Amino acid sequence: MTQSTINQICKLLEPFNTERKALTAETDISADLNIDSVAVMDFVMEVEDHFDIEIPLNVVSETRSIGDLAAVVEARTKKVLLP
Amino acid sequence: MIDLFDKHKGIEGRFARMLTLGVNALGLTNDRVISPTRAMINGRETILAGTNNYMGITLDADCIKAGQDAMAEFGTGTTGSRIANGSYALHVQLEAELAKFLKRKHCIVFTTGYQANLGMMSGLAGPKDTIFLDSDSHSSIYDGCTLSGAKLVRFRHNDAGDLDKRMARSEGEEGGRLVVIEGIYSMLGDRAPLRDFVELKKKHGFQLLSDEAHSFGVLGPNGRGLADEAGLEDDVDFVVGTFSKSVGAVGGFGAGNHPMFETLRYAMRPYMFTASSSPASVATSIAAVRKLAAEPERRAKLRANSARLFEGFKALGLDMGCDVASPVVAVKCADEISTITMWNALIEAGVYVNIALPPGTPNKLCLLRCSVSAAHDFDDIDRIIALFGRVVIAKAAA
Ligand SMILES: Cc1ncc(COP(=O)(O)O)c(C=O)c1O
């Protein structure tokens, strides 16, 4: 899992991180950032479009941390996008 | 030991804050029902503008009589599932009359609309299939999708171009594809751009389901919903609806023309493992569906009332949920606290509307949601507009 993927995800998460918490790979997207279930799905939609991949809701429900999501993104990105 | 209730501490705090701002908006009681548009609430006669009682049919004398007769003849409850002892002649008759009304070959009734969506999603799609659902879908659609075990892909609200892109991403996968939209979206009152989705069917080949919960009986020259209004019924494979709104009873249905549709009865757990609707509810639904067919003037009245409320709110400069008049007229508010405060002021002034807060709303919106009834008269509508003017505009100015 590359730092680049994590950084890109953190950037996409910014508009949803209304309490301006510090973000790391270990941050739990829903619990730590106090983001409700609908906002998590909206955020994942941004991630899907940014990386041009599909992340089904079934996968979202098993993804807790930013690191988990980065791993999903990398597994689903055919060619890893460089910043 | 970890207390199972620990996870609900956040809800408890949010609820407690609501109580400091006024009465319990989530536990309001109609102490007495005066008419489809009036009830006694907290000792005050209140105009009801958030009932989904679109046709105002709940106290119709013929529907009441039908329910009373059915209860006397068939009893208070069915004590069983449709696939065991709970199928009565009434259920079969309701399915036949609804199929005729909808111009569909098959119709299956459920105990609630919520279960209709659970049943249809899980009966149609399985673990190898993919369901593409609009991001603003009702919770019953989300829950039905989860129950199905299908792969779930959410597309941007009312955006067929976005769906096109997402379908392209999963091109070539095994399994069928079901796309789910709603006729009128329950929170913002906007309609699905059905023609765009129908166009996309030609490109991608999928089966299309429309939940007409808020549009059944309401939209279209025959009251069959959005597809009827748009003249695209042949392109919608499956229709879901509820009896809890325009029909004024309890229950729901799924309908379609597929030659194997009836096999769903043996594949839908929310149909099989619950008791069928009570005879009274089924009988009132039959009577009400007949009225939907025979009394188009109810739809015309509802349309006129909806347009009047919509235009009145627009003239006040309120920020509305969508830009076309529909029986759901939602007003966007600044934040949760001001929404709760305004809702309380409206209740004190004698008008009930729905309060809708995230995550029950799209895009974190806080809404005061009105639903219009054919049973409102223009004086009611004008009074609702005047009260919104007083309460909402005053709050915004404060
Ligand atoms: C879009 C939509 N679908 C389904 C339902 C469920 O209907 P019911 O109240 O009959 O369970 C509702 C309303 O509750 C709804 O708004």
Side-chain angles (χ1 to χ4, degrees):
Chain A
M1 188 168 68
T2 66
Q3 192 58 41
S4 159
T5 308
I6 303 235
N7 290 348
Q8 290 176 69
I9 289 175
C10 290
K11 193 151 172 30
L12 294 168
L13 195 48
E14 258 169 38
F16 298 88
N17 181 15
T18 46
E19 297 174 6
R20 300 260 156 261
K21 298 249 176 72
L23 304 176
T24 71
E26 285 72 46
T27 306
D28 183 314
I29 298 166
S30 167
D32 292 344
L33 303 183
N34 200 13
I35 298 180
D36 70 43
S37 52
V38 175
V40 169
M41 292 191 291
D42 290 343
F43 158 62
V44 170
M45 220 173 211
E46 299 300 331
V47 175
E48 288 181 292
D49 286 349
H50 177 81
F51 292 99
D52 193 21
I53 53 172
E54 175 184 79
I55 307 177
L57 294 186
N58 330 52
V59 174
V60 176
S61 59
E62 288 164 12
T63 308
R64 302 227 57 89
S65 69
I66 290 176
D68 293 345
L69 185 58
V72 168
V73 166
E74 292 188 356
R76 288 173 173 264
T77 313
K78 279 148 208 118
K79 48 185 193 310
V80 175
L81 301 172
L82 294 173
Chain B
M1 183 189 85
I2 295 173
D3 186 353
L4 295 167
F5 281 86
D6 281 351
K7 59 181 166 290
H8 299 314
K9 287 266 163 68
I11 298 179
E12 191 185 37
R14 204 171 158 200
F15 184 72
R17 185 180 71 181
M18 183 180 74
L19 293 185
T20 66
L21 297 168
V23 300
N24 178 5
L26 308 178
L28 212 62
T29 307
N30 297 286
D31 293 316
R32 197 158 60 78
V33 173
I34 299 165
S35 78
T37 60
R38 290 286 188 291
M40 292 301 290
I41 296 176
N42 295 334
R44 193 181 293 112
E45 183 173 327
T46 303
I47 301 180
L48 304 175
T51 59
N52 306 311
N53 192 354
Y54 296 125
M55 295 300 147
I57 214 164
T58 45
L59 293 172
D60 181 274
D62 298 327
C63 293
I64 289 174
K65 175 80 168 48
Q68 286 171 333
D69 289 351
M71 188 188 281
E73 190 179 344
F74 292 96
T76 51
T78 68
T79 69
S81 154
R82 288 295 304 282
I83 60 164
N85 59 304
S87 264
Y88 288 22
L90 285 169
H91 297 96
V92 176
Q93 185 188 343
L94 174 57
E95 288 175 340
E97 293 205 16
L98 257 178
K100 190 158 154 261
F101 178 83
L102 290 163
K103 284 200 167 359
R104 299 275 172 181
K105 292 202 176 78
H106 307 279
C107 178
I108 298 176
V109 299
F110 296 81
T111 309
T112 66
Y114 178 87
Q115 285 159 294
N117 269 331
L118 255 57
M120 290 296 287
M121 302 306 145
S122 61
L124 290 169
K128 288 205 169 75
D129 304 315
T130 304
I131 303 179
F132 295 85
L133 71 162
D134 187 285
S135 59
D136 281 13
S137 292
H138 189 261
S139 295
S140 56
I141 293 173
Y142 277 96
D143 292 353
C145 286
T146 304
L147 185 64
S148 75
K151 188 172 91 175
L152 306 178
V153 176
R154 192 169 172 257
F155 60 89
R156 290 187 196 275
H157 176 53
N158 273 354
D159 190 340
D162 188 73
L163 174 61
D164 183 15
K165 184 174 77 184
R166 287 170 204 282
M167 290 209 138
R169 282 180 191 150
S170 68
E171 209 61 68
E173 283 178 24
E174 62 168 345
R177 301 197 284 188
L178 175 67
V179 171
V180 182
I181 58 171
E182 292 177 30
I184 292 178
Y185 282 85
S186 54
M187 284 297 128
L188 299 180
D190 51 341
R191 297 160 163 78
L194 187 56
R195 193 165 294 279
D196 296 353
F197 289 106
V198 165
E199 278 304 309
L200 203 59
K201 278 183 89 174
K202 294 181 190 134
K203 179 170 173 189
H204 288 292
F206 52 80
Q207 284 163 303
L208 179 63
L209 181 149
S210 178
D211 178 355
E212 303 271 7
H214 293 268
S215 41
F216 174 76
V218 168
L219 293 184
N222 310 290
R224 295 198 291 263
L226 178 69
D228 181 22
E229 181 183 71
L232 293 169
E233 287 175 285
D234 290 345
D235 298 291
V236 175
D237 301 276
F238 310 107
V239 186
V240 167
T242 172
F243 305 140
S244 72
K245 306 184 197 299
S246 60
V247 176
V250 180
F253 67 84
N257 292 327
H258 196 287
M260 287 177 67
F261 194 86
E262 296 292 329
T263 57
L264 289 174
R265 291 185 199 270
Y266 319 108
M268 301 187 295
R269 300 168 65 86
Y271 174 82
M272 294 188 281
F273 299 107
T274 192
S276 61
S277 338
S278 73
S281 195
V282 176
T284 54
S285 298
I286 293 171
V289 169
R290 286 180 186 167
K291 281 183 185 272
L292 294 182
E295 299 172 9
E297 59 276 14
R298 287 179 189 267
R299 274 192 289 289
K301 185 74 197 310
L302 177 64
R303 252 196 302 278
N305 283 345
S306 304
R308 194 174 180 94
L309 187 66
F310 182 82
E311 293 303 330
F313 278 2
K314 220 164 77 177
L316 288 176
L318 297 175
D319 191 5
M320 318 261 276
C322 70
D323 53 14
V324 290
S326 96
V328 176
V329 185
V331 176
K332 296 181 190 167
C333 307
D335 54 54
E336 183 162 328
I337 291 184
S338 68
T339 310
I340 295 172
T341 308
M342 290 188 288
W343 181 87
N344 273 284
L346 288 169
I347 271 292
E348 271 168 36
V351 59
Y352 170 78
V353 302
N354 303 125
I355 187 165
L357 302 170
T361 54
N363 307 319
K364 288 193 162 294
L365 288 169
C366 295
L367 302 172
L368 292 171
R369 173 194 181 273
C370 304
S371 60
V372 181
S373 173
H376 284 124
D377 56 31
F378 278 177
D379 286 347
D380 295 335
I381 302 290
D382 293 346
R383 178 134 181 81
I384 297 164
I385 296 166
L387 289 173
F388 263 75
R390 211 169 80 200
V391 167
V392 180
I393 301 295
K395 177 77 189 169

